Amino acid sequence: CSRVRNSCLLSTECLPANQHTNQPRCAVLLPCVRILAASLQVPVALSVREVVYRQQHAGFYSTIAYSLAVNFVHLPLAVAEAVIFSSGVYWMTGFVDEGDRFLFFVFVLCIVAVATASLFRTISYAVPSMELGQVLIGPANGLLVMFCGIPITRTNIPPWFIWVYYLSPFSWSIRSLAINEYTGDAYKDIVTGLNKTRGELYLDAYEFQSSDEWKWFGIVFLAGFLVAMIALSNYVLSLGKPDGSRGTSRVEETDDE
């Protein structure tokens, strides 16, 4: 229900967008990625972490088995959310009317949802309490959003923060979505005097590359990022130990004579 509501709200805000106005369409890519980023995984991950510790130390299953399983379980939900959300946003906001580009749009949102969920789960496994986990998610989201290439373009990012841009799943997914949109047939007209297509000029405004290779580089990065987060979450979980203070203990009572 929340995905349908967010899709309708976001689509309504960007209804005036058309092929001759790139700003609303570029601006809608960031909230699309941000909404599908599964930061709500934090309380769920923290609530089951102690159970995973106990099962792992008891020898029932390994942490890598759990790390893989939780991502596979989340995959169908991510696909359903991406399809429902994209079906409203993509067509109502006037993205290019091509079926293959719509499917690519859905695919990117699906993989970024799984990748960011794994990132937030890893953060949850590394912190000692739910309160600290909830506090850290805000700054982490803020960094991903601020340095994704939309609020601040790549050359304007301070040198000491440029690593966030190149490691952020938001920047790679937004670049792929922007290239997917602005290399469509609706943007192939040549701008007089500049010898560039209108789509290339829109991409240049946000300092995005215009070749199709970069669209697929984003997919490769997101897949690699997901694998790295699974490996890191497995490592963090393997360091944990069950809380021995929980549970019950038997106390022997002696009768006073």
Side-chain angles (χ1 to χ4, degrees):
C1 294
S2 63
R3 298 306 184 209
V4 175
R5 182 184 67 252
N6 291 332
S7 176
C8 293
L9 290 174
L10 188 57
S11 303
T12 303
E13 292 178 0
C14 301
L15 276 177
N18 54 65
Q19 271 74 25
H20 297 282
T21 306
N22 73 312
Q23 181 64 30
R25 194 166 291 103
C26 265
V28 79
L29 294 178
L30 176 54
C32 283
V33 173
R34 174 63 189 86
I35 289 172
L36 268 293
S39 58
L40 294 178
Q41 292 289 320
V42 174
V44 178
L46 285 168
S47 64
V48 302
R49 182 178 59 180
E50 184 64 26
V51 177
V52 176
Y53 289 161
R54 290 180 177 275
Q55 298 294 332
Q56 190 266 337
H57 280 272
F60 286 107
Y61 52 76
S62 64
T63 52
I64 186 60
Y66 173 79
S67 299
L68 290 172
V70 74
N71 281 277
F72 279 117
V73 168
H74 181 236
L75 183 60
L77 178 60
V79 172
E81 289 181 339
V83 171
I84 293 171
F85 181 81
S86 302
S87 298
V89 169
Y90 191 90
W91 303 111
M92 291 180 68
T93 54
F95 282 102
V96 63
D97 189 10
E98 298 178 29
D100 58 335
R101 297 184 186 275
F102 169 71
L103 293 177
F104 184 84
F105 185 91
V106 175
F107 179 65
V108 171
L109 291 188
C110 177
I111 192 171
V112 77
V114 177
T116 53
S118 186
L119 167 64
F120 294 134
R121 275 194 295 266
T122 303
I123 295 175
S124 304
Y125 299 150
V127 297
S129 65
M130 183 176 296
E131 291 76 12
L132 182 58
Q134 296 284 17
V135 168
L136 290 178
I137 291 303
N141 261 318
L143 284 174
L144 295 179
V145 170
M146 183 62 67
F147 302 113
C148 70
I150 296 296
I152 306 175
T153 55
R154 175 171 50 86
T155 57
N156 291 315
I157 296 176
W160 52 88
F161 275 125
I162 194 65
W163 61 272
V164 180
Y165 175 82
Y166 287 112
L167 293 179
S168 170
F170 284 10
S171 65
W172 287 89
S173 57
I174 289 174
R175 183 192 296 111
S176 294
L177 293 175
I179 295 173
N180 181 63
E181 170 67 15
Y182 292 124
T183 56
D185 293 338
Y187 302 93
K188 293 294 186 182
D189 51 302
I190 303 295
V191 177
T192 306
L194 296 177
N195 199 28
K196 285 187 175 183
T197 65
R198 188 156 46 87
E200 289 174 337
L201 291 177
Y202 288 161
L203 290 171
D204 289 344
Y206 286 92
E207 301 178 4
F208 291 145
Q209 293 80 0
S210 57
S211 61
D212 274 346
E213 289 81 4
W214 281 93
K215 180 173 74 171
W216 296 104
F217 286 162
I219 299 299
V220 173
F221 174 85
L222 290 172
F225 184 86
L226 174 60
V227 172
M229 288 300 103
I230 292 175
L232 185 57
S233 65
N234 171 63
Y235 173 73
V236 173
L237 283 174
S238 66
L239 298 178
K241 295 181 179 180
D243 186 359
S245 63
R246 296 186 179 184
T248 59
S249 60
R250 178 177 295 177
V251 178
E252 295 183 0
E253 297 182 356
T254 58
D255 296 333
D256 294 334
E257 294 181 357

